[in-house]
Amino acid sequence: MDFEEVMDLVARTFEVLGVAILVLGALASIVRAVARRETGRKFYRSVRTDFGHTLLLGLEVLVAADIVKTVAVDSTLESVAILGILVLVRTLLSISLDAEIDGVWPWRRRRVELEESQALRR
């Protein structure tokens, strides 16, 4: 087995892991909400928040697969450009998902947490 074959196997492993995270995370989100006996809107919000975190993790693993595949297996100018676009789209998707889940943009999170902790001390 040569280097490219090993790296292709590594990339495929990351892809399978990313998909497994998404599928198992979706199921786990539903199971947790059912176990907490949530219903209606609370059920939806719970599953949405839990699965949102899972989706972020799955996206990160899939980005890793793309990076390994592009850098080690198929490093042409075209594949690097496609990787750049994929990483950009996934990064924007991650940022928007993060903001949707937490209700605050990632770069504002620290400030909001600080303001909330100061409000609790009063």
Side-chain angles (χ1 to χ4, degrees):
M1 202 176 238
D2 68 347
F3 178 75
E4 280 189 14
E5 290 174 332
V6 170
M7 289 297 105
D8 188 50
L9 180 63
V10 168
R12 289 182 189 271
T13 302
F14 271 113
E15 288 172 341
V16 169
L17 180 61
V19 171
I21 288 169
L22 294 173
V23 171
L24 296 174
L27 293 174
S29 299
I30 293 168
V31 167
R32 277 193 298 268
V34 169
R36 289 185 227 139
R37 300 183 188 274
E38 295 172 343
T39 58
R41 190 171 286 199
K42 194 170 182 183
F43 178 86
Y44 170 76
R45 286 187 180 153
S46 176
V47 171
R48 184 172 179 239
T49 300
D50 286 350
F51 184 64
H53 291 292
T54 299
L55 191 56
L56 288 170
L57 179 60
L59 281 171
E60 294 299 324
V61 173
L62 291 172
V63 166
D66 290 336
I67 291 170
V68 169
K69 189 183 301 182
T70 300
V71 171
V73 178
D74 185 28
S75 57
T76 63
L77 187 57
E78 182 180 346
S79 65
V80 171
I82 291 170
L83 173 66
I85 292 168
L86 277 173
V87 168
L88 178 64
V89 167
R90 288 185 177 160
T91 300
L92 293 173
L93 183 58
S94 293
I95 289 171
S96 64
L97 278 170
D98 203 22
E100 185 73 22
I101 291 166
D102 294 336
V104 63
W105 292 108
W107 54 85
R108 295 219 30 194
R109 181 175 297 119
R110 180 73 180 133
R111 174 183 243 166
V112 169
E113 288 172 353
L114 184 62
E115 289 170 357
E116 287 174 352
S117 69
Q118 288 174 347
L120 289 174
R121 289 183 197 158
R122 294 179 193 161

